[in-house]
Structures are given as structure tokens and as C-alpha cells.
Amino acid sequence: MTIGIDQIKQTLDIMMHPANATKKEYTIGQSITWYYKLAIVPLIISAIGALVLGSALGALFSMIPSLAGLGLGGAIAGLAVVFVILYFVILAPIGLFVDAAILHFFGKFVFRQFKSDYAHTFAGLVYGISPEILFFWLVFIPIIGWIIYAVVAIWALIVYIFALSNQQKTSKLSVIGVLVGTVIIIWVIEVIILLALRL
């Protein structure tokens, strides 16, 4: 099979059967390798979508007299493509490492619901983000694409819950509790910090 195509097929299976398709365990290295293989095709499609949408926006801006001479078409298209590459290659993977670390800390040491190590939390997050990565190109289709992508993101959250439940050998309800509890605690900390900065 071709690199990327295998991962796309697996992601579709993960979306259709999250309870069974998220049981396989991966090391951190295997998880990140799997992520990058999955990202190849969506990155290319998203880059093309960013180029087209950026060019269209640039053409629209060129119709405004005050902006016509600024050459925004190429700049907007170029920046959009650069953002897509940065997102897939750097930003999303860094986000996975950081989010997994935060979630694992709360799940393992604060709420004591996670039974396995950080690598399993990381694998759970990679499973969970895979639908959003696969269909990221939808964000470059105005209105309809955004609506479909919102549905994909909601389904990805469900996958995320199943994946973490499987990877951490805990119930789905426990995973939901850890997720909600972590969000609330982080929100409270942010509020406290903002209030402290104002005083």
C-alpha cells in the first residue's frame, strides 16, 4: 500500500468504528510517524485549497481601488499556503505533545483515572485528531465546507473519547470527566491570572 493512503483508510475506519479501531497501542514515535503519514495527502489538498481561496480573495481585493496596486493576491495566497504547511508540519504536532502532557497530568495525577503512561494518552490524541486532519481542506470551502468540518470536529471529539478510554483502560464517562475537569481547572487558573494581572 502507499504511504498516506493506508492512514486515510485507517482514519475512515476509526471514524466508522471508534470503539474497535482505536485499541491498537503505539509508542510516541509510532504515533507521530503515523500522524505525518496521514498528513501528507490532506496537506497537499489543503495547500491547493489555500492557494485557490487566497487567490480569489486577492482578486476580490484588487477590485477595490485603494487596494488594487498593492499586489495582495499573491501575498494572501502565499501566506495561506505557508500557514497550511506550518499547521500540518509544526503547529498540530506541537499541540499534540502539549495537550497530551496537560491531559495526562490531570488524568493520571489529579483525577487518577488514567491507568497507562503518557505514550497512550498521546496515541489517544492522535486517534482523536485524525478526522480533523484528514478533512482539514474543508475549511477552504466557504459556508458548506465550514459546516461539514464542524460536524467532523464534533465526531472527532467522540473518537477522542473512545480512543482515550481504550488507550487508558478506563471508562468513557471517566474520560469525559477528566476532559471537563481539566478544562474547568485551566479556565479557573486563567481567570485568576488575569485578575492578578489587573490588580
Side-chain angles (χ1 to χ4, degrees), residues 52 63 99 142 154 158 168 189:
V52 170
M63 295 171 67
D99 290 348
I154 292 168
I158 294 170
Q168 285 296 341
I189 291 171

Side-chain angles (χ1 to χ4, degrees), residues 23-186:
K23 289 182 177 179
K24 185 174 180 180
E25 298 179 358
Y26 293 101
T27 64
I28 294 172
Q30 290 170 330
S31 291
I32 202 68
T33 299
W34 190 91
Y35 162 83
Y36 277 118
K37 287 179 179 178
L38 170 65
I40 292 170
V41 174
L43 189 158
I44 293 169
I45 297 172
S46 297
I48 293 169
L51 187 63
V52 170
L53 183 61
S55 298
L57 287 172
L60 185 64
F61 288 142
S62 69
M63 295 171 67
I64 302 171
S66 60
L67 301 175
L70 298 178
L72 291 176
I76 292 173
L79 286 172
V81 173
V82 168
F83 168 76
V84 165
I85 295 170
L86 285 175
Y87 174 77
F88 278 96
V89 178
I90 299 173
L91 300 178
I94 288 175
L96 284 169
F97 279 106
V98 173
D99 290 348
I102 293 169
L103 190 62
H104 189 72
F105 172 77
F106 283 100
K108 183 86 170 180
F109 303 107
V110 177
F111 299 112
R112 299 183 178 277
Q113 296 299 313
F114 288 0
K115 310 296 191 298
S116 301
D117 59 13
Y118 173 81
H120 288 82
T121 303
F122 189 80
L125 265 67
V126 171
Y127 277 123
I129 199 177
S130 60
E132 294 178 82
I133 292 298
L134 180 58
F135 292 102
F136 185 81
W137 51 271
L138 286 168
V139 303
F140 298 104
I141 302 174
I143 315 299
I144 295 174
W146 301 339
I147 293 169
I148 297 172
Y149 190 73
V151 174
V152 169
I154 292 168
W155 190 250
L157 179 60
I158 294 170
V159 171
Y160 186 50
I161 291 166
F162 275 96
L164 278 173
S165 174
N166 285 332
Q167 293 294 312
Q168 285 296 341
K169 308 296 187 290
T170 189
S171 71
K172 295 165 196 64
L173 193 59
S174 294
V175 170
I176 293 170
V178 170
L179 291 172
V180 172
T182 300
V183 169
I184 290 172
I185 291 172
I186 290 174

